Amino acid sequence: MKSCARVALAGAAVLLLTTGACSSKSPASPTTAPVDFNERGPINLVAVKDSTGQTQKELDTWNATHPNEKATLIQLPDSSDQQRNVILQAFQTKNADYTVISTDIIWTAEFAANGWITELDPAPFQLEAMVPAAVEGGKYRDKLYAVPEISQGALLYFRKDLLDAVGAQPPTTMDEVKQICAKVKTLPQGAGVDCYGGQFNKYEGLTVNFAEAVGGSGGQIVDAAGRPTVNTPQANQALLWMVGAFNDGTIPRQAVTWTEDESRQAFQNGKLVFLRNWPHVYARAAKTDGSSQVAGRFDVTTLPALPGGRTGVSSLGGANLAVSRFARNKGTAVDFIKYMTSTETMRERTVATSVAPARTAIYTDPAATSQLTYLPTLLESLQTARPRPVVVKYGDFTVAIQDQVYASLQGQKKPDQALTELQARLDALAK
């Protein structure tokens, strides 16, 4: 889920990014074999399927000025978990056709530690103009392995027309979310509209939503020293809230099958008062071509706090661009990444698709803010965003989280049992 990344983020987020990566126990270090950055020629960009067509437009612009170094798009599945599996298969077979790879921000440590992606010279990329935590997410042991392309923070989408109808302000707590929904239910236009939606299917999005619930309750999944901390009152409160929200109807039962897209569709179809999702939803929900039932009737705010927490906390998401160690034409690949992460390309991408840019200047750029009024709110989200656990064995970590949280949402395990078992599993993985 790239869902995977703008000004300076909270120091705690940066600290957790760096210490989490450095605390991993294995492997010792990535390979240091010499890399040839002089080789040039055609390349491939490996990235998630883009239904907006913007990625292909960017490739067309590059190809027009680089006829001997054309870039071709290789599309990945929509699911973040499936994306990772496809990329891992390519690494394991040393597939030279995978040149520039769009990776979830959380994969950097794993990919770099195993020697699958190439260390990059930071000089060409103007990293000082990017969101600091996003830049740290592209590093492993203080060396750059991936360049931020998108830096995501979660937003709470809400039906402004319905909140106005009941005289409510945007909520700052989940208790207020429930109170507002109860009032909306009394309206004729509130019939058939559920309260809150997120991503609760058994995939990476569930890890993200659980991490946000824990953060919003005042806790964290992994502490600054890289130690798992899910057998805490804060984590228990978070999972209790999630389970309770399904049980009392705050979250519709069908949301247990939702990813980003299904939840977006529910909101766009006018079936939700509130939706937790990424910035890309904004452009789609705002369309006036008939595809959205809420165009002109919604707004966004930052995530609400859960009981026990002082403020809502977004997971730090985003996508980075990395060069496969097994690829040909790495010299072209570096120049291509420089183009894809330039201010001009990011600005055009942000305006066209509403995905969040990695360059801080775009958040105050009139060309972007005049069309995307949510950018200041997104900036607030990013300032308190936290990464998911940054560990070499992240794939195993997230599967363990999904297994236990999903079992609890399904009523198969009580929250305290699920978290006790999860703590034991994460402790074993962190060794």
Side-chain angles (χ1 to χ4, degrees):
M1 174 210 54
K2 293 177 187 166
S3 176
C4 131
R6 302 198 188 190
V7 293
L9 299 190
V14 177
L15 176 64
L16 184 53
L17 271 166
T18 54
T19 57
C22 295
S23 66
S24 300
K25 298 295 191 295
S26 64
S29 62
T31 179
T32 56
V35 177
D36 181 7
F37 284 109
N38 294 315
E39 188 177 9
R40 309 191 70 86
I43 60 172
N44 293 314
L45 169 65
V46 182
V48 65
K49 182 179 179 180
D50 174 25
S51 60
T52 71
Q54 180 63 26
T55 300
Q56 188 58 54
K57 290 180 181 178
E58 293 166 5
L59 267 60
D60 291 344
T61 300
W62 165 271
N63 292 341
T65 56
H66 297 78
N68 297 320
E69 301 173 280
K70 289 187 175 181
T72 301
L73 179 63
I74 296 177
Q75 297 187 107
L76 294 171
D78 289 332
S79 165
S80 179
D81 297 334
Q82 293 176 4
Q83 293 164 24
R84 180 177 171 276
N85 289 338
V86 171
I87 293 170
L88 289 182
Q89 289 173 7
F91 287 151
Q92 289 161 2
T93 59
K94 300 182 179 181
N95 188 338
D97 293 330
Y98 278 36
T99 318
V100 175
I101 301 174
S102 178
T103 72
D104 191 303
I105 189 173
I106 205 65
W107 299 338
T108 304
E110 177 186 12
F111 289 1
N114 284 285
W116 295 331
I117 54 179
T118 303
E119 182 185 343
L120 301 172
D121 179 358
F125 304 113
Q126 298 180 320
L127 299 179
E128 68 280 359
M130 294 187 180
V131 175
V135 173
E136 291 300 320
K139 293 180 180 179
Y140 176 66
R141 298 189 173 179
D142 295 326
K143 295 181 179 180
L144 185 70
Y145 285 87
V147 182
E149 180 186 25
I150 299 169
S151 187
Q152 300 278 51
L155 296 169
L156 182 71
Y157 292 79
F158 65 90
R159 286 284 300 277
K160 187 176 185 304
D161 59 331
L162 296 179
L163 267 65
D164 287 346
V166 297
Q169 296 298 313
T172 59
T173 69
M174 282 299 187
D175 285 341
E176 292 176 0
V177 165
K178 290 188 175 184
Q179 293 165 11
I180 292 170
C181 287
K183 293 178 181 179
V184 168
K185 283 291 186 184
T186 67
L187 301 174
Q189 60 267 44
V193 181
D194 288 309
C195 182
Y196 179 86
Q199 296 75 51
F200 303 106
N201 203 342
K202 192 177 179 182
Y203 80 117
E204 183 62 21
L206 182 58
T207 299
V208 169
N209 279 251
F210 175 65
E212 290 173 347
V214 173
S217 299
Q220 53 191 344
I221 294 177
V222 173
D223 67 16
R227 296 183 295 258
T229 54
V230 294
N231 60 346
T232 61
Q234 294 87 354
N236 189 60
Q237 173 61 50
L239 191 51
L240 278 171
W241 185 90
M242 292 173 71
V243 171
F246 272 99
N247 290 341
D248 68 17
T250 299
I251 302 174
R253 178 49 56 182
Q254 63 266 31
V256 80
T257 67
W258 285 356
T259 66
E260 284 84 358
D261 202 49
E262 289 87 0
S263 58
R264 171 191 64 79
Q265 290 174 343
F267 184 76
Q268 241 177 262
N269 292 338
K271 300 300 183 182
L272 291 172
V273 181
F274 297 102
L275 168 68
R276 176 263 172 232
N277 215 316
W278 302 107
H280 74 279
V281 170
Y282 196 98
R284 294 194 179 190
K287 282 188 174 182
T288 57
D289 60 359
S291 61
S292 174
Q293 303 302 309
V294 297
R297 297 193 288 157
F298 75 94
D299 206 342
V300 295
T301 188
T302 54
L303 296 185
L306 274 73
R310 292 184 300 172
T311 184
V313 176
S314 167
S315 290
L316 179 66
N320 298 335
L321 294 179
V323 178
S324 169
R325 178 162 293 276
F326 312 109
R328 298 178 289 266
N329 302 325
K330 292 185 178 68
T332 298
V334 169
D335 286 349
F336 177 76
I337 292 176
K338 182 179 178 182
Y339 156 74
M340 290 291 284
T341 60
S342 68
T343 299
E344 181 180 359
T345 303
M346 280 193 189
R347 183 192 299 114
E348 292 177 357
R349 182 185 305 129
T350 298
V351 172
T353 67
S354 79
V355 297
R359 294 196 175 275
T360 58
I362 298 174
Y363 287 90
T364 55
D365 187 332
T369 57
S370 62
Q371 298 187 54
L372 301 173
T373 57
Y374 76 89
L375 286 175
T377 303
L378 176 57
L379 190 57
E380 289 184 53
S381 176
L382 286 168
Q383 286 172 330
T384 58
R386 295 180 186 174
R388 285 157 282 166
V390 183
V391 290
V392 171
K393 296 181 179 179
Y394 182 76
D396 295 326
F397 258 68
T398 188
V399 168
I401 292 169
Q402 292 165 35
D403 285 345
Q404 296 297 338
V405 173
Y406 197 75
S408 195
L409 295 183
Q410 293 281 56
Q412 298 166 356
K413 293 182 182 179
K414 292 184 177 180
D416 57 351
Q417 177 193 354
L419 293 176
T420 297
E421 294 178 11
L422 178 59
Q423 180 72 40
R425 176 59 177 153
L426 296 186
D427 282 341
L429 290 171
K431 291 180 180 179

